[in-house]
Amino acid sequence: MKKLLAVSVLCAMLSGLFWPNPSVAASSSDIDDLTTYAVLIGRGIGCGFNMRSEMRQVGAWIDRTFYGQEKSMYLKLFMAGVEHNAAEQAAGRSPDSCSSLRDTLNRVDWP
């Protein structure tokens, strides 16, 4: 997760170089949200929860939030985060139990 966060921050900093128009470049808040969604969905998948609805909602949010090449880059980053967090949860290397995660997922205001 630390690697995902570091890559997210680096991408956010570089996005201003390649997409100088602030209405196009992702905001720090958008990147934080993307990272959070990847962690939660990945951990949910690692617990065996059906996360299809949440994936659809986040996918639609990505379509609304990111543009052009930036969208492709952030979608790949999101999917890598989901895969990583699913594997970590399934291997027991997550700080959350599946029961506590279920409670958290029920409280999330998905986009």
Side-chain angles (χ1 to χ4, degrees):
M1 186 164 97
K2 288 181 182 180
K3 288 181 184 179
L4 175 63
L5 183 57
V7 171
S8 295
V9 170
L10 177 62
C11 290
M13 292 182 340
L14 292 176
S15 69
L17 296 174
F18 298 108
W19 297 282
N21 181 348
S23 66
V24 175
S27 71
S28 300
S29 177
D30 292 335
I31 295 165
D32 288 345
D33 289 346
L34 184 77
T35 303
T36 299
Y37 296 143
V39 169
L40 292 173
I41 289 173
R43 288 183 183 172
I45 290 170
C47 286
F49 301 155
N50 181 343
M51 301 300 293
R52 286 186 197 119
S53 175
E54 292 83 356
M55 286 287 283
R56 277 194 295 274
Q57 291 175 68
V58 172
W61 172 79
I62 290 171
D63 284 343
R64 293 188 310 269
T65 304
F66 302 102
Y67 303 93
Q69 289 179 322
E70 181 182 61
K71 183 190 304 186
S72 175
M73 177 183 66
Y74 284 116
L75 182 58
K76 289 176 187 174
L77 184 65
F78 171 74
M79 291 308 300
V82 168
E83 289 178 32
H84 172 77
N85 283 284
E88 292 294 295
Q89 184 73 38
R93 292 187 297 265
S94 168
D96 301 313
S97 69
C98 290
S99 61
S100 69
L101 181 64
R102 168 129 3 246
D103 293 338
T104 299
L105 293 172
N106 288 332
R107 290 190 312 267
V108 173
D109 186 20
W110 297 99

